[in-house]
Amino acid sequence: MVKDLHGKNIIITGASGGIGEKMARLCAERGANLALVARRTDKLAAMKEELEQRYSIDIYTFSLDVSNMEKVEEVFPLILERFKVIDVLVNNAGYGIFTYAHDADMKEVKSMFDVNVLGLIACTQQVLPKMLATKSGHIINIASQAGKIATPKSSTYSATKHAVLGYSNSLRMEVASQGVYITTVNPGPIETNFFDIADKEGTYVKNVQRYMLKPEYVARKVVDVMLTPTREVNLPRWMNLGSKVFAIAPRLFEWAGRGVFNKK
């Protein structure tokens, strides 16, 4: 059941583009107040002005690189001052770079973990005490099908998303009896600018473009489960079926899928 978001307070990281922007627009349409977080404040400012003119809601924007722990500790208290109750946190900020493991630049490896894993954990720690105090709230972590099925040239990215799933699964059990929901979202490739960085040569996009998910579709699926006890959102369904087969027969799956996996 889709919950009424009117008057709810929602934080979205990585909100300046891709599914983050689409989620922000859908939440605004449904009457939620927003704290939008991203590195690019120009896009956030334009979106704030547009949405506040169209809807009777409060929108606050914050410049933040979630990999900067000191800035996380500065910005989130400002959000908590404005929103006495945090209903939903969407940890959406993240990126990937596709390269062979032996070619990986260690600065890029560290940066991916800093943003995709440590940044997500840091943001969660900022809001979780308030949610536990009110015995309500929902944390939605954007992971990936790559966190379930690793493929060539995505070793570091897959590792970060494996970590997000592990963290989320443990956290879900910790807070299960305290009124806080934890959801992971595991999409396949989405038609966004993610691949401008991840796939600089354009090979992967060219090979899988017809299978790519529309960001509007993914965003709607996420917003639809807000404030519901949904464990996971897996998109598309056929790709998630592959992850289930992989869990049962990994060796056979890897052998059978070699041709598909080497699309990067």
Side-chain angles (χ1 to χ4, degrees):
M1 178 183 293
V2 178
K3 291 286 187 176
D4 181 15
L5 299 182
H6 185 79
K8 300 300 183 183
N9 300 323
I10 298 174
I11 304 171
I12 302 174
T13 69
S16 62
I19 64 170
E21 178 190 350
K22 303 301 183 187
M23 285 187 287
R25 293 182 178 280
L26 284 171
C27 290
E29 184 181 310
R30 299 184 189 187
N33 302 311
L34 298 170
L36 304 179
V37 176
R39 291 180 299 174
R40 297 187 58 177
T41 53
D42 55 337
K43 285 194 170 185
L44 293 183
M47 183 160 51
K48 168 185 167 68
E49 182 178 358
E50 175 196 344
L51 295 179
E52 284 188 333
Q53 287 179 353
R54 295 175 63 185
Y55 308 106
S56 299
I57 58 175
D58 294 324
I59 300 179
Y60 304 99
T61 63
F62 300 89
S63 174
L64 175 64
D65 178 347
V66 298
S67 68
N68 187 328
M69 299 297 118
E70 291 182 358
K71 287 292 290 182
V72 170
E73 292 175 0
E74 288 178 15
V75 167
F76 268 81
L78 298 177
I79 298 174
L80 299 179
E81 281 180 15
R82 289 160 173 77
F83 291 158
K84 303 307 178 185
V85 174
I86 305 298
D87 295 293
V88 182
L89 165 66
V90 184
N91 282 309
N92 173 64
Y95 79 104
I97 297 175
F98 295 158
T99 186
Y100 288 112
H102 65 276
D103 289 331
D105 183 306
M106 286 308 299
K107 288 183 179 179
E108 292 178 345
V109 170
K110 182 179 183 301
S111 180
M112 270 188 275
F113 271 94
D114 285 345
V115 174
N116 298 0
V117 183
L118 299 182
L120 178 148
I121 293 173
C123 294
T124 298
Q125 288 187 337
Q126 289 293 315
V127 305
L128 189 56
K130 184 174 283 285
M131 288 183 174
L132 293 175
T134 59
K135 293 190 178 299
S136 66
H138 192 175
I139 296 171
I140 300 175
N141 293 329
I142 307 299
S144 172
Q145 286 294 326
K148 296 188 171 189
I149 305 174
T151 57
K153 295 183 74 174
S154 63
S155 54
T156 299
Y157 180 69
S158 290
T160 66
K161 295 305 184 177
H162 274 284
V164 170
L165 290 173
Y167 176 77
S168 302
N169 291 341
S170 177
L171 181 59
R172 185 182 299 108
M173 290 187 283
E174 289 182 15
V175 303
S177 63
Q178 301 182 67
V180 178
Y181 301 144
I182 308 296
T183 299
T184 54
V185 180
N186 305 301
I190 308 171
E191 200 174 276
T192 68
N193 60 3
F194 171 90
F195 293 100
D196 293 349
I197 296 173
D199 180 40
K200 293 178 181 178
E201 295 178 0
T203 306
Y204 182 65
V205 170
K206 182 179 178 181
N207 286 327
V208 304
Q209 195 155 26
R210 59 180 171 172
Y211 303 115
M212 281 189 168
L213 298 163
K214 297 296 183 183
E216 296 85 356
Y217 170 77
V218 178
R220 189 170 298 278
K221 288 292 185 181
V222 178
V223 173
D224 283 349
V225 302
M226 285 182 175
L227 300 176
T228 71
T230 301
R231 188 179 190 278
E232 292 185 346
V233 176
N234 294 290
L235 304 167
R237 290 183 178 180
W238 63 265
M239 189 173 287
N240 188 56
L241 178 62
S243 70
K244 292 181 179 180
V245 174
F246 176 73
I248 297 170
R251 183 175 297 181
L252 175 62
F253 188 86
E254 288 175 358
W255 175 83
R258 282 179 299 179
V260 176
F261 297 155
N262 284 286
K263 293 292 186 181
K264 297 189 188 75

